[in-house]
Amino acid sequence: MTEGAAAEFETRLKTVAEGAEDILDRLLGAATLPGEIARPARLLDAIRYSTLGGGKRLRPFLLVETARLFGVEGEGVFRAAAAVEMIHCYSLVHDDLPALDNDDLRRGRPTTHKAYDEATAILVGDGLLTYAFDVIADPATHQDAAIRAGLVLELARAAGFGGMIGGQVLDLEAEQSQAAHTTEAVIRLQSMKTGALLHFSVIAGAIIGNADARARAALSAYGLALGAAFQVADDILDVEADEAVLGKRAGKDAGRNKATLVAALGLEGARERRDRLAAEAIAALDCFSQGADAMILKEAARFVARRAS
Amino acid sequence: MTEGAAAEFETRLKTVAEGAEDILDRLLGAATLPGEIARPARLLDAIRYSTLGGGKRLRPFLLVETARLFGVEGEGVFRAAAAVEMIHCYSLVHDDLPALDNDDLRRGRPTTHKAYDEATAILVGDGLLTYAFDVIADPATHQDAAIRAGLVLELARAAGFGGMIGGQVLDLEAEQSQAAHTTEAVIRLQSMKTGALLHFSVIAGAIIGNADARARAALSAYGLALGAAFQVADDILDVEADEAVLGKRAGKDAGRNKATLVAALGLEGARERRDRLAAEAIAALDCFSQGADAMILKEAARFVARRAS
């Protein structure tokens, strides 16, 4: 709410992004780990290209800051944060493939199948998806096996048929259809494709933080609203932003009969929805209102609504 | 060793294959599960096409029979067996893609990207890979979270950079190279690409069966030898079998500078290696020699060496 909060948020966002970059760099390093056969060099190179050196690391941020709300910090939390970022990066690499969205640019750089080749991009995605579960299930992430198994289950569901994969299929179906998309259908699609992993990031922090049922319900509501706000903001950005700012071809969604909320609600309606959802996300955290950390999560909801890229 | 053992093996193989088919059918059913958004119909159809109605289910068989060696049977074991089969099926769907092996036929039917389309095949593979971890991490698979987390970790490693993914990358690199492949390089490649998941199937049974260190070491040796024997047998089959029997284009490996052990050792050398590895697998189980179940695992090694498809 104050300028101080916004400044502290920016500092934390930067700190967590650096921490996430560092742990990803170490997990995806060239060294042969104990018991592991040496990783093929070309694959490793392509994986690092697809994962390192960019992005706001919003999902790691949400996980780390939610765990911190309960006083839990450290290497294990960042390992879980790296796993969720690997899932995010895998989904981008596969979504960009010619058979899917056929995108040549991502964050202003050639997409993985353009920088390498299609076969490598498919395997990079498969490898990141698989490795994310390796990292989460490893005792180094959390000493309690019940928490590790719980994280695996939640992550697999967020990334699976009822989450990212299901949303991507609905997205493809929507694109191939010539009909206009109902607001309800677009919201459902987006809650699966993008919302589920953002929601998982918050819930994972709550699981690691051993949150009680009431706190977990509040954080779940926060995660759902934030995820929905994020995607409306993305749809709005696609219309508004020019290619140089966004680092991908802007206006592309409209040219493809993509299911977007700007198409369903109009630009003004989409902006209203975005701001209402951000306010909902913030209100969901009222039970934590005393601490500085909930303030940072609230600030994250404002950031998601106002971001320019 | 006896005809009785071979007959009992055939019966168990059929029984486990039917049990695996049944659990896959239920897990990949059309019903909406509690807490899950309805699965998109077309994706579900393609997933069922890629998973049901075929195959010897060798990996489920190894997992189920190894667990049974320790007296553990039932629904949870079959859930774990279904998870390993999902990983196997995902790898086939992705390996068949045009950017990778570009195969049109699999088990005598059009491959998934031929029967549907490339986008669907990519998402089917991603979905199966993700769902396998969901199934393994679910309390319905095992009541002990430490066992569930342990299975996730072993599976992720068998399927990951040091396992299937790494092997697939080495395979692509070998194919693109014009040089002859050393026997050592081919063995390493195959132990990653095919051996790791067969080995996991055995180890998963040992984990679920709560095997002690000595039994686990014996089973690990068995799984390694069996996995290696399986792949040599596959290379031999590729040369020998005609398309009608094998259900895929035979002789294709030779036309591509594929890294095979027939190319490296010659047909006779490959047959000797196959038989020696099967004998090694059988010998590794000598510490279990009293029970009927180890006999069935031994019979499985003979089956792998003599199979005609």
Side-chain angles (χ1 to χ4, degrees), chain B:
Chain B
M1 247 159 242
T2 67
E3 280 179 37
E8 195 179 335
F9 166 79
E10 294 290 346
T11 304
R12 286 296 305 165
L13 187 63
K14 190 161 172 287
T15 302
V16 175
E18 286 167 1
E21 186 81 13
D22 176 59
I23 188 105
L24 285 166
D25 181 45
R26 281 185 287 136
L27 289 170
L28 302 168
T32 303
L33 302 177
E36 194 180 47
I37 299 165
R39 297 169 181 174
R42 183 179 158 80
L43 177 69
L44 188 68
D45 199 50
I47 284 171
R48 292 175 63 86
Y49 178 86
S50 308
T51 318
L52 300 178
K56 296 172 293 293
R57 310 296 190 191
L58 180 60
R59 291 155 195 82
F61 177 81
L62 291 170
L63 191 152
V64 168
E65 290 302 314
T66 305
R68 207 161 69 91
L69 196 56
F70 302 96
V72 182
E73 297 185 82
E75 175 89 2
V77 178
F78 271 92
R79 287 177 56 94
V84 73
E85 190 67 8
M86 286 179 203
I87 296 283
H88 175 56
C89 292
Y90 123 74
S91 77
L92 299 181
V93 171
H94 277 193
D95 286 0
D96 287 338
L97 285 168
L100 292 154
D101 287 353
N102 193 24
D103 273 312
D104 297 348
L105 281 177
R106 165 76 61 187
R107 293 174 184 162
R109 295 192 306 171
T111 46
T112 304
H113 67 273
K114 280 289 173 184
Y116 294 84
D117 54 61
E118 235 181 288
T120 302
I122 292 166
L123 295 172
V124 161
D126 293 347
L128 285 171
L129 171 53
T130 307
Y131 193 47
F133 289 107
D134 180 334
V135 169
I136 285 247
D138 192 303
T141 297
H142 202 288
Q143 59 182 15
D144 184 344
I147 289 203
R148 298 199 303 276
L151 290 171
V152 168
L153 191 58
E154 293 284 342
L155 180 56
R157 290 188 175 169
F161 299 143
M164 287 165 61
I165 306 272
Q168 178 68 23
V169 173
L170 293 179
D171 204 16
L172 284 177
E173 282 176 359
E175 201 173 323
Q176 282 156 9
S177 132
Q178 296 307 306
H181 310 299
T182 67
T183 305
E184 193 186 26
V186 179
I187 289 171
R188 175 166 171 255
L189 183 167
Q190 294 184 345
S191 79
M192 293 165 75
K193 188 176 173 183
T194 319
L197 198 63
L198 289 163
H199 180 257
F200 167 79
S201 305
V202 175
I203 287 300
I207 292 173
I208 292 170
N210 202 21
D212 63 25
R214 185 161 162 265
R216 196 165 153 163
L219 286 162
S220 181
Y222 167 79
L224 288 177
L226 182 108
F230 180 89
Q231 189 58 53
V232 198
D234 216 47
D235 288 351
I236 294 167
L237 276 173
D238 182 75
V239 177
E240 291 181 340
D242 63 62
E243 187 166 335
V245 174
L246 205 61
K248 66 178 181 182
R249 269 183 282 162
K252 201 177 172 191
D253 292 355
R256 281 175 160 176
N257 197 30
K258 272 269 182 191
T260 84
L261 279 171
V262 173
L265 299 172
L267 193 54
E268 225 16 73
R271 284 192 185 121
E272 277 167 26
R273 180 175 159 80
R274 176 195 63 190
D275 296 341
R276 192 176 67 249
L277 286 164
E280 265 180 46
I282 290 164
L285 297 183
D286 275 349
C287 55
F288 300 108
S289 56
Q290 292 78 8
D293 296 331
M295 190 186 69
I296 283 185
L297 288 178
K298 289 180 177 182
E299 212 49 54
R302 289 186 193 97
F303 169 78
V304 159
R306 75 167 181 260
R307 76 205 168 93
S309 70

Side-chain angles (χ1 to χ4, degrees), chain A residues 43 61 65 71 74 80 85 87 89 92 101 113 131 135 142 145 160 173 204 236 239 244 271 295:
Chain A
L43 177 69
F61 177 82
E65 290 302 314
E85 190 67 8
I87 296 282
C89 292
L92 300 181
D101 286 352
H113 67 274
Y131 193 46
V135 169
H142 202 288
E173 283 176 358
I236 294 167
V239 176
R271 285 191 185 121
M295 190 186 69

